Amino acid sequence: KLINGERWYDTQGNLIQAHGGGILQYGGYFYWYGEDKRLVKGKSAGDLYGVSCYRSRDLTEWDYLGNALPVNHEEPDHPLYYKKILERPKVLWNEETGKFVMLMHLDIPDYTYASVGIAVSDHPEGPFCLLDTKHPNGYESRDMGVYQEQDGTAYLLMASHWNSCMRAVKLTGDYLDFTDSYTYLYPLVGKCESREAPAAFQKDGRYYCITSACTGYEPNEADLASADSMLGIWRSLGNPCRGTDAAVTFHAQSTFVLELPDGRKLLMLDIWKISDISDSRYVWLPIQWDESGIPFVTWTDDWRAALDAAEQQN
Ligand code: DGJ
């Protein structure tokens, strides 16, 4: 059983390593990708290992499919050199090209390179091949997420200007590059602040994005922004968390919203454990809707029971 905040294990009995991750739905399976922060003998705690890939049919039993994007150990100039930064990987399937595309934050240890890494594979489990690192529309990009519309149009959500702006940028049709169509979520109307950890979703033609504030791995207050299209005018609706510890996002930070085919949605978060980052935990919370149609989340230990109890939403 996967209880929020406790240790989660794969079907081989190993700790699941999929931090800052996201889930791709493809061919009747869920594929969960994330930062693999395992400790490797002879390596330091911050060293990169790669992007893990897990597969499940029911969101509960996760088979480890391996390292989908192994890092480089020989060339210090390589963007995937193991002493660099790789965060928040997300994978999309491109129906036009048939390729799996991984987008991720690639950086150098002082975070001044601030790029989006673009990798591609013919298979969901990889191996992915890094094609390029880019600065969308000439801007630096740090924490990031993705959003894919039903019609295949996809967007990158990215923190730019040293985190003082959160932007949404439309991807090209093959998802391998960025168009000139973009907008700002933050600064936004009525509330201007720095945000990280974007997780976007949609319901009945309204778009939402949950973000965190910028306090490193320390928890902070989340915010929910909304617009009538991804490139529309975004407004803040305030903190989407309710109940005990809502002001610190239940000690967690958003990473992705899984939208199930029946309309139910699961907000995925990380509880970062600074003393041992490899033992950071996961929290999944079904998104609820209040009487005014505003989405919110409350803490629950058993996300599976809460999800099963949630009604179909389309
Ligand atoms: C906050 C970000 O949201 C995380 O992805 C990570 O970059 C940490 N900062 C690193 O301190």
Side-chain angles (χ1 to χ4, degrees):
K1 221 172 180 187
L2 306 180
I3 296 296
N4 277 333
E6 294 189 359
R7 292 193 173 93
W8 294 12
Y9 296 94
D10 65 17
T11 50
Q12 293 170 302
N14 297 313
L15 261 190
I16 293 182
Q17 289 290 337
H19 312 283
I23 289 179
L24 167 74
Q25 298 177 70
Y26 177 79
Y29 286 102
F30 298 100
Y31 291 87
W32 183 10
Y33 303 87
E35 299 164 34
D36 191 331
K37 294 199 172 288
R38 75 182 64 202
L39 297 171
V40 178
K41 223 173 158 199
K43 296 269 189 285
S44 313
D47 292 351
L48 296 181
Y49 184 81
V51 176
S52 51
C53 176
Y54 296 85
R55 185 176 67 182
S56 173
R57 278 205 186 275
D58 60 6
L59 293 174
T60 305
E61 302 265 307
W62 291 97
D63 293 323
Y64 177 58
L65 301 187
N67 193 348
L69 184 73
V71 295
N72 174 290
H73 290 268
E74 290 83 36
E75 305 150 81
D77 288 338
H78 196 285
L80 288 174
Y81 187 58
Y82 77 110
K83 288 288 181 189
K84 293 189 173 177
I85 303 286
L86 189 174
E87 291 177 352
R88 301 189 175 272
K90 306 285 179 292
V91 174
L92 298 169
W93 180 61
N94 188 290
E95 198 172 348
E96 274 173 33
T97 62
K99 305 274 185 199
F100 297 85
V101 178
M102 182 186 292
L103 301 176
M104 74 214 92
H105 172 195
L106 287 186
D107 222 320
I108 55 176
D110 66 3
Y111 283 90
T112 54
Y113 185 58
S115 77
V116 184
I118 303 164
V120 73
S121 177
D122 290 328
H123 309 283
E125 70 277 18
F128 283 78
C129 170
L130 185 73
L131 297 181
D132 212 344
T133 61
K134 292 195 181 242
H135 295 96
N137 317 115
Y139 292 107
E140 50 178 33
S141 176
R142 294 190 174 83
D143 268 17
M144 49 138 280
V146 293
Y147 187 76
Q148 188 181 38
E149 305 265 23
Q150 291 281 328
D151 70 1
T153 309
Y155 299 86
L156 174 78
L157 296 133
M158 53 178 270
S160 65
H161 303 74
W162 200 267
N163 288 345
S164 64
C165 298
M166 179 63 68
R167 305 166 74 249
V169 186
K170 190 172 160 185
L171 303 184
T172 53
D174 58 10
Y175 302 167
L176 302 179
D177 206 345
F178 306 94
T179 69
D180 291 333
S181 300
Y182 62 83
T183 194
Y184 289 89
L185 281 71
Y186 296 86
L188 45 59
V189 180
K191 204 174 182 188
C192 172
E193 52 184 86
S194 303
R195 308 300 302 175
E196 287 188 314
F201 56 104
Q202 191 254 118
K203 186 174 192 283
D204 301 333
R206 269 215 86 71
Y207 292 74
Y208 301 92
C209 183
I210 293 174
T211 53
S212 73
C214 304
T215 53
Y217 286 129
E218 297 286 354
N220 55 52
E221 188 170 6
D223 192 71
L224 171 74
S226 173
D228 58 12
S229 68
M230 271 311 272
L231 298 180
I233 296 171
W234 290 81
R235 284 170 206 281
S236 170
L237 300 176
N239 186 355
C241 302
R242 299 190 187 174
T244 309
D245 289 335
V248 285
T249 317
F250 317 112
H251 304 279
Q253 185 185 30
S254 45
T255 183
F256 190 74
V257 174
L258 174 66
E259 300 184 296
L260 295 172
D262 66 6
R264 289 177 300 166
K265 300 177 202 323
L266 205 50
L267 173 64
M268 299 166 59
L269 310 103
D270 299 283
I271 296 185
W272 300 109
K273 185 169 169 183
I274 298 168
S275 58
D276 177 3
I277 208 79
S278 69
D279 191 29
S280 296
R281 311 292 169 82
Y282 311 101
V283 178
W284 291 357
L285 302 174
I287 292 183
Q288 304 169 63
W289 302 83
D290 71 13
E291 26 338 300
S292 324
I294 307 286
F296 69 98
V297 288
T298 53
W299 176 267
T300 177
D301 293 330
D302 188 346
W303 63 267
R304 181 80 247 181
L307 185 69
D308 290 345
E311 278 174 35
Q312 180 171 327
Q313 282 165 3
N314 59 15

Short mmCIF file of all heavy atoms in Angstrom, two decimals, residues 14 18 65 79 84 96 116 124 127 130 136 140 177 205 213 246 269 282 303:
data_model
loop_
_atom_site.label_atom_id
_atom_site.label_comp_id
_atom_site.label_asym_id
_atom_site.label_seq_id
_atom_site.Cartn_x
_atom_site.Cartn_y
_atom_site.Cartn_z
N ASN A 14 12.41 -2.31 -3.82
CA ASN A 14 13.34 -1.18 -3.68
C ASN A 14 12.56 0.13 -3.56
O ASN A 14 11.47 0.27 -4.11
CB ASN A 14 14.26 -1.11 -4.90
CG ASN A 14 15.13 -2.35 -5.00
OD1 ASN A 14 15.73 -2.78 -4.00
ND2 ASN A 14 15.18 -2.96 -6.17
N ALA A 18 11.64 8.53 -7.83
CA ALA A 18 11.01 9.26 -8.95
C ALA A 18 10.60 10.64 -8.44
O ALA A 18 9.44 11.02 -8.51
CB ALA A 18 9.83 8.49 -9.50
N LEU A 65 11.51 -0.08 -14.55
CA LEU A 65 11.96 -0.43 -15.90
C LEU A 65 13.38 0.02 -16.18
O LEU A 65 13.90 -0.19 -17.26
CB LEU A 65 11.02 0.18 -16.96
CG LEU A 65 9.54 -0.23 -16.90
CD1 LEU A 65 8.80 0.32 -18.09
CD2 LEU A 65 9.38 -1.74 -16.83
N PRO A 79 26.33 18.06 -20.95
CA PRO A 79 25.20 18.59 -20.17
C PRO A 79 24.66 17.59 -19.14
O PRO A 79 24.03 17.99 -18.16
CB PRO A 79 24.13 18.88 -21.23
CG PRO A 79 24.82 18.84 -22.54
CD PRO A 79 26.07 18.04 -22.39
N LYS A 84 26.50 17.63 -12.51
CA LYS A 84 25.63 18.76 -12.84
C LYS A 84 24.24 18.58 -12.21
O LYS A 84 24.05 17.76 -11.32
CB LYS A 84 25.57 18.93 -14.36
CG LYS A 84 26.93 19.36 -14.91
CD LYS A 84 26.86 19.73 -16.36
CE LYS A 84 28.21 20.30 -16.81
NZ LYS A 84 28.21 20.63 -18.23
N GLU A 96 2.18 12.61 -33.56
CA GLU A 96 2.60 12.85 -34.95
C GLU A 96 3.88 12.11 -35.30
O GLU A 96 4.00 11.53 -36.37
CB GLU A 96 2.87 14.35 -35.17
CG GLU A 96 1.66 15.15 -35.52
CD GLU A 96 1.98 16.64 -35.56
OE1 GLU A 96 3.11 17.01 -35.94
OE2 GLU A 96 1.09 17.42 -35.17
N VAL A 116 16.52 24.01 -20.64
CA VAL A 116 15.61 22.88 -20.77
C VAL A 116 16.34 21.82 -21.61
O VAL A 116 16.74 22.10 -22.75
CB VAL A 116 14.31 23.28 -21.50
CG1 VAL A 116 13.35 22.10 -21.55
CG2 VAL A 116 13.67 24.47 -20.83
N PRO A 124 8.85 4.02 -24.37
CA PRO A 124 8.55 4.78 -23.16
C PRO A 124 9.62 4.62 -22.08
O PRO A 124 9.90 5.56 -21.33
CB PRO A 124 7.20 4.22 -22.71
CG PRO A 124 6.98 2.97 -23.46
CD PRO A 124 7.78 3.07 -24.71
N PRO A 127 16.16 3.71 -23.74
CA PRO A 127 16.92 4.87 -23.29
C PRO A 127 16.62 6.13 -24.11
O PRO A 127 16.46 6.04 -25.33
CB PRO A 127 18.38 4.43 -23.47
CG PRO A 127 18.33 3.39 -24.54
CD PRO A 127 17.02 2.71 -24.38
N LEU A 130 19.74 12.55 -25.40
CA LEU A 130 19.66 14.01 -25.25
C LEU A 130 19.99 14.67 -26.59
O LEU A 130 21.06 14.46 -27.16
CB LEU A 130 20.65 14.49 -24.18
CG LEU A 130 20.54 15.99 -23.88
CD1 LEU A 130 19.28 16.30 -23.08
CD2 LEU A 130 21.77 16.48 -23.13
N PRO A 136 14.24 28.65 -23.87
CA PRO A 136 13.06 29.00 -24.66
C PRO A 136 12.89 30.51 -24.82
O PRO A 136 12.93 31.25 -23.83
CB PRO A 136 11.90 28.40 -23.85
CG PRO A 136 12.53 27.30 -23.07
CD PRO A 136 13.92 27.76 -22.75
N GLU A 140 16.15 32.11 -19.55
CA GLU A 140 16.61 31.02 -18.71
C GLU A 140 15.39 30.27 -18.17
O GLU A 140 14.30 30.84 -18.04
CB GLU A 140 17.48 31.53 -17.57
CG GLU A 140 16.88 32.68 -16.81
CD GLU A 140 17.75 33.13 -15.66
OE1 GLU A 140 18.99 33.05 -15.75
OE2 GLU A 140 17.17 33.55 -14.65
N ASP A 177 11.03 21.60 -29.75
CA ASP A 177 11.46 23.00 -29.72
C ASP A 177 10.31 23.86 -29.19
O ASP A 177 9.23 23.35 -28.90
CB ASP A 177 11.87 23.43 -31.14
CG ASP A 177 12.90 24.57 -31.11
OD1 ASP A 177 13.08 25.20 -30.04
OD2 ASP A 177 13.51 24.83 -32.16
N GLY A 205 -12.67 23.47 -19.71
CA GLY A 205 -12.14 24.61 -20.45
C GLY A 205 -11.46 25.67 -19.59
O GLY A 205 -11.02 26.69 -20.11
N ALA A 213 6.16 28.50 -3.58
CA ALA A 213 7.05 29.66 -3.48
C ALA A 213 8.49 29.15 -3.62
O ALA A 213 8.70 27.95 -3.85
CB ALA A 213 6.83 30.37 -2.15
N ALA A 246 -1.92 23.40 5.85
CA ALA A 246 -2.17 23.93 4.51
C ALA A 246 -1.18 25.04 4.17
O ALA A 246 -0.80 25.21 3.00
CB ALA A 246 -3.60 24.47 4.41
N LEU A 269 2.97 15.38 -5.25
CA LEU A 269 3.91 16.28 -4.55
C LEU A 269 5.09 15.49 -3.99
O LEU A 269 5.01 14.26 -3.85
CB LEU A 269 3.21 17.00 -3.38
CG LEU A 269 1.88 17.69 -3.67
CD1 LEU A 269 0.73 16.87 -3.15
CD2 LEU A 269 1.82 19.07 -3.05
N TYR A 282 6.73 10.77 -1.20
CA TYR A 282 5.70 11.20 -2.16
C TYR A 282 4.37 11.40 -1.45
O TYR A 282 4.06 10.70 -0.49
CB TYR A 282 5.54 10.16 -3.27
CG TYR A 282 6.88 9.76 -3.85
CD1 TYR A 282 7.50 8.57 -3.48
CD2 TYR A 282 7.56 10.62 -4.71
CE1 TYR A 282 8.74 8.22 -3.97
CE2 TYR A 282 8.82 10.29 -5.21
CZ TYR A 282 9.40 9.08 -4.83
OH TYR A 282 10.65 8.76 -5.31
N TRP A 303 -4.30 7.90 -0.26
CA TRP A 303 -4.75 8.58 -1.49
C TRP A 303 -5.58 7.63 -2.35
O TRP A 303 -6.49 8.05 -3.06
CB TRP A 303 -3.57 9.13 -2.30
CG TRP A 303 -2.63 8.07 -2.80
CD1 TRP A 303 -1.51 7.63 -2.18
CD2 TRP A 303 -2.76 7.31 -4.00
NE1 TRP A 303 -0.93 6.64 -2.92
CE2 TRP A 303 -1.67 6.42 -4.05
CE3 TRP A 303 -3.68 7.28 -5.05
CZ2 TRP A 303 -1.48 5.52 -5.08
CZ3 TRP A 303 -3.49 6.38 -6.09
CH2 TRP A 303 -2.41 5.50 -6.10
#
